[in-house]
């Protein structure tokens, strides 16, 4: 059996088209499908509409979270409830076509433990597109390519990977990279990503930024290392400048270079404000990591099922 985990947050307009696409897909699949739908604290009619349309399917679970916990936590709730030999993550907004799932299943049957769907192209507003492009490039570099470029949450995972993921207690979870990090044989399928069919993106820009930052901080200490590097970059010219000033001071005592005036105020102001700003940024970066450590240490559950 194959589980399909789908998180929904205020997606009432998507329920009918989604269920229609899943229904026509399930008739084409040879494997049995277990639908695991996670209602991530919707305040519209998503839950009722789901209940009304699910009875067509022979095997399903509908999990209602006690409030909105966010996309990755919702996926985690679904992952914990899924019982299939493989688990597929799929967004409810149909930006990722369920029709490529048979291809993913074929690759899995041929031995891949993780089949990631990667985007050949994406139809999205230019701002988001630029952001995604930048993120993938940067993330690829600083993590040494832990996750395939241009992939998202859409993927098929073998039970072996699922069991490893379930044992990981991370709260600031970033599934796209974490499941690749687990290892095993991995494969990719390629597709064109369309824009959202109904409703607004639920992942607002701030949420996306936060999500990207979760990814970076949970897979890389590069921002922390950059602080040390920045310190060197600033400190070395400062030391050279200070040494030059000392030399000039003594030369002037001996009567040389008397026409040279060392201007104090501008240098001082730039140094104080510039360095103050840089120090605050560095403290902020450390604070971000510390905040994440704090959140993890508290050990609160990633989601609560109502
Ligand atoms: N989603 C969720 N909880 C949230 C945000 C999003 O369950 O807090 C779901 C949403 O309903 C959709 C999927 O996650 O099924 C992806 O959301 P969206 O399309 O907004 O993300 P994007 O396409 O921008 O990655
Ligand atoms: Mg979407």
């Amino acid at each position: 059996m194959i589980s399909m985990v789908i998180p929904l947050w205020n997606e009432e307009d998507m329920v009918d088209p989604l269920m229609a696409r899943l229904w026509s897909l399930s008739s084409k699949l040879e494997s049995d499908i277990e639908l695991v739908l996670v209602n991530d604290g919707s305040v519209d009619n998503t839950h009722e509409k789901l209940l009304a349309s699910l009875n067509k399917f022979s095997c399903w679970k509908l999990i209602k979270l006690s409030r909105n916990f966010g996309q990755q936590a919702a996926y985690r709730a679904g992952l914990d409830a899924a019982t299939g030999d493989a688990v597929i993550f799929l967004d409810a907004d149909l930006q990722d076509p369920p029709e490529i799932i048979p291809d993913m299943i074929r690759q899995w049957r041929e031995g891949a433990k993780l089949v990631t769907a990667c985007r050949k192209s994406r139809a999205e507003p230019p701002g988001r597109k630029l952001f995604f492009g930048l993120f993938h490039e940067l993330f690829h570099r600083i993590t040494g390519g832990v996750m395939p470029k241009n992939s998202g949450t859409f993927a098929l995972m073998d039970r072996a990977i699922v069991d490893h993921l379930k044992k990981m207690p991370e709260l600031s979870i970033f599934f796209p990279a974490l499941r690749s990090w687990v290892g095993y044989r991995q494969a990719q399928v390629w597709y064109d990503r369309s824009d959202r069919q109904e409703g607004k993106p639920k992942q607002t820009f701030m949420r996306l930024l936060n999500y990207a930052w979760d990814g970076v901080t949970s897979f890389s200490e590069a921002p922390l290392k950059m602080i040390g590097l920045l310190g060197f970059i600033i400190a070395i010219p400062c030391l050279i400048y200070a040494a030059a000033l000392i030399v000039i001071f003594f030369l002037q005592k001996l009567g040389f270079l008397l026409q040279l005036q060392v201007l104090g105020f501008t240098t001082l102001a730039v140094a104080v404000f510039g360095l103050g700003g840089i120090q605050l940024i560095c403290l902020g970066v450390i604070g971000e990591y510390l905040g994440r450590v704090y959140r993890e240490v508290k050990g609160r559950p990633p989601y609560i099922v109502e």
Side-chain angles (χ1 to χ4, degrees):
M1 185 159 70
I2 293 172
S3 304
M4 285 180 69
V5 173
I6 305 172
L8 301 100
W9 181 38
N10 298 339
E11 300 279 13
E12 60 180 0
D13 296 332
M14 280 319 300
V15 172
D16 291 335
L18 175 71
M19 288 304 162
R21 291 272 282 278
L22 290 179
W23 180 244
S24 75
L25 172 79
S26 67
S27 56
K28 283 180 210 133
L29 291 180
E30 285 159 21
S31 336
D32 290 334
I33 288 283
E34 172 193 56
L35 279 186
V36 183
L37 297 136
V38 184
N39 172 4
D40 186 18
S42 300
V43 289
D44 62 358
N45 286 323
T46 302
H47 204 79
E48 293 69 28
K49 288 189 88 168
L50 281 174
L51 275 178
S53 62
L54 273 168
N55 47 23
K56 273 211 281 195
F57 295 88
S58 55
C59 180
W60 55 267
K61 286 174 177 163
L62 175 54
I63 299 161
K64 188 176 184 204
L65 301 188
S66 62
R67 64 170 171 84
N68 177 250
F69 279 89
Q71 186 205 34
Q72 296 292 296
Y75 269 120
R76 168 151 227 160
L79 191 76
D80 289 342
T83 56
D85 306 313
V87 177
I88 296 170
F89 276 181
L90 179 72
D91 282 355
D93 59 358
L94 293 174
Q95 278 190 283
D96 307 313
E99 287 71 25
I100 66 169
I101 287 176
D103 232 16
M104 296 164 88
I105 295 178
R106 188 177 45 76
Q107 299 250 29
W108 171 59
R109 291 208 192 288
E110 285 169 15
K113 297 278 187 228
L114 172 67
V115 187
T116 314
C118 298
R119 294 121 189 198
K120 271 189 285 190
S121 69
R122 48 161 92 229
E124 241 153 336
R128 280 172 97 82
K129 214 158 136 173
L130 184 75
F131 171 79
F132 287 127
L134 270 175
F135 170 74
H136 280 284
E137 202 47 56
L138 200 76
F139 193 76
H140 199 80
R141 276 175 195 217
I142 62 175
T143 61
V146 65
M147 111 186 169
K149 266 193 206 172
N150 295 316
S151 62
T153 24
F154 189 24
L156 178 149
M157 292 159 277
D158 184 82
R159 176 53 48 189
I161 293 197
V162 173
D163 285 342
H164 285 297
L165 288 175
K166 281 173 71 173
K167 277 186 231 141
M168 298 184 195
E170 294 174 42
L171 264 188
S172 312
I173 210 157
F174 187 68
F175 279 118
L178 196 59
R179 61 185 180 214
S180 297
W181 175 89
V182 171
Y184 292 98
R185 198 170 126 196
Q186 311 194 350
Q188 277 111 47
V189 292
W190 293 87
Y191 71 106
D192 294 301
R193 189 170 213 233
S194 54
D195 205 353
R196 216 172 214 283
Q197 324 254 302
E198 302 280 346
K200 283 210 183 80
K202 302 296 177 300
Q203 294 282 77
T204 56
F205 197 68
M206 273 323 282
R207 272 178 181 246
L208 276 181
L209 265 184
N210 212 12
Y211 179 45
W213 189 234
D214 267 348
V216 171
T217 50
S218 57
F219 279 90
S220 162
E221 279 108 53
L224 287 176
K225 290 188 183 133
M226 297 266 286
I227 295 179
L229 193 69
L230 196 68
F232 272 111
I233 292 174
I234 295 170
I236 289 172
C238 276
L239 284 177
I240 296 173
Y241 183 55
L245 287 182
I246 293 170
V247 172
I248 290 170
F249 175 80
F250 283 111
L251 283 178
Q252 286 184 337
K253 285 262 171 221
L254 297 171
F256 299 104
L257 292 177
L258 289 175
Q259 71 288 7
L260 196 76
Q261 275 188 356
V262 179
L263 294 176
F265 180 73
T266 322
T267 322
L268 219 66
V270 169
V272 167
F273 289 112
L275 275 179
I278 291 172
Q279 279 172 351
L280 285 181
I281 294 172
C282 296
L283 270 182
V285 172
I286 300 175
E288 284 287 330
Y289 278 88
L290 188 64
R292 275 164 169 74
V293 172
Y294 181 49
R295 209 185 307 156
E296 299 292 341
V297 162
K298 280 189 283 189
R300 288 188 188 154
Y303 59 85
I304 291 171
V305 176
E306 185 178 324

